[in-house]
């Protein structure tokens, strides 16, 4: 499972970095070009902050914050139950991780993040592929946590009761044998 997650994150970061390279080579000289009139432009922007310009010019703080987020994601990825219902949570975490790493690489090697997607039908900050990964990953995580993932009921141990493992699931031992608990 680790290998697949690492490969997926590396591929996603690679796609992000390729699109940013293409923006640097093709958009930086011209500044902006219209893709769909009145809807989407490709506009080269050097972003030195995070979402909506927060922490602009605070490169080391942003890098430290990103490293903390990456460590948090890796820790919970490892600790998460290896059940089918958590498979989508892992996928969403890989998206967020890839987006964080993609933008972190820009900050480390360029000193700024390359942004280039600009919606023109309403006012919204210019963004990039890594930002899309983060937003989609967070939305999927929120939906899964709110609507899909259910807490397992806790087994309560009565004073004179003993627990035994029967098969794969935890069961309570009663005088008549092992039954669902």
């Amino acid at each position: 499972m680790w290998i697949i997650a690492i490969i997926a994150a590396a591929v996603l970061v690679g796609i992000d970095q390729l699109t940013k390279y293409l923006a640097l080579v093709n958009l930086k000289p011209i500044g902006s070009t219209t893709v769909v009139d009145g809807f989407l432009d490709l506009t080269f922007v050097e972003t030195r902050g995070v979402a909506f310009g927060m922490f602009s010019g605070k490169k080391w703080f942003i890098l430290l914050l990103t490293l903390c987020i990456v460590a948090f994601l890796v820790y919970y990825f490892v600790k998460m139950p290896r059940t089918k219902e958590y498979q989508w949570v892992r996928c969403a975490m890989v998206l967020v991780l890839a987006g964080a790493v993609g933008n972190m690489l820009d900050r480390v090697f360029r000193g700024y993040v390359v942004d280039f997607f600009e919606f023109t039908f309403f006012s919204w900050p210019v963004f990039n592929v890594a930002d899309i990964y983060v937003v989609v990953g967070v939305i999927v995580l929120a939906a899964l946590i709110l609507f899909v993932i259910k807490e397992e009921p806790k087994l309560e141990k009565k004073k004179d009761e003993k627990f035994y493992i029967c098969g794969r699931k935890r069961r309570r031992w009663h005088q008549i044998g092992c039954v669902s608990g």
Side-chain angles (χ1 to χ4, degrees):
M1 184 164 305
W2 268 93
I3 298 296
I4 294 170
I6 291 170
I7 291 170
V11 167
L12 292 170
V13 169
I15 292 168
D16 171 64
Q17 291 300 303
L18 175 63
T19 60
K20 290 173 179 174
Y21 172 77
L22 293 171
L24 277 166
V25 170
N26 298 311
L27 280 177
K28 189 171 185 176
I30 63 172
S32 184
T33 186
T34 299
V35 177
V36 179
D37 192 32
F39 182 76
L40 178 68
D41 286 356
L42 296 179
T43 303
F44 183 84
V45 174
E46 295 177 0
T47 304
R48 300 188 191 287
V50 292
F52 308 107
M54 293 186 307
F55 307 117
S56 185
K58 308 232 188 281
K59 176 182 168 183
W60 294 109
F61 174 75
I62 296 169
L63 287 173
L64 179 64
L65 181 64
T66 303
L67 286 173
C68 290
I69 291 168
V70 168
F72 174 84
L73 289 169
V74 170
Y75 175 79
Y76 278 100
F77 190 93
V78 171
K79 293 294 186 181
M80 196 176 310
R82 294 183 187 263
T83 60
K84 188 175 182 177
E85 69 179 348
Y86 284 94
Q87 181 177 1
W88 290 107
V89 174
R90 290 179 193 281
C91 290
M93 289 175 74
V94 167
L95 280 173
V96 174
L97 179 72
V101 169
N103 282 339
M104 184 175 70
L105 289 173
D106 275 13
R107 285 189 179 90
V108 168
F109 294 110
R110 291 188 185 99
Y112 58 88
V113 175
V114 174
D115 287 330
F116 51 91
F117 289 121
E118 180 182 22
F119 286 122
T120 55
F121 65 96
F122 67 99
S123 180
W124 191 256
V126 180
F127 58 98
N128 61 42
V129 173
D131 297 335
I132 296 169
Y133 295 159
V134 171
V135 169
V136 170
V138 168
I139 289 170
V140 169
L141 273 174
L144 290 169
I145 290 168
L146 291 173
F147 304 114
V148 177
I149 304 295
K150 306 291 183 210
E151 282 192 42
E152 294 180 17
K154 303 218 180 209
L155 295 176
E156 293 185 25
K157 183 178 175 185
K158 294 180 183 170
K159 187 176 179 181
D160 58 347
E161 220 172 12
K162 295 181 182 177
F163 286 99
Y164 294 88
I165 302 298
C166 296
R168 291 182 164 209
K169 296 185 180 177
R170 196 172 251 212
R171 313 267 184 184
R172 270 188 265 174
W173 182 262
H174 291 282
Q175 289 182 355
I176 58 171
C178 197
V179 295
S180 294

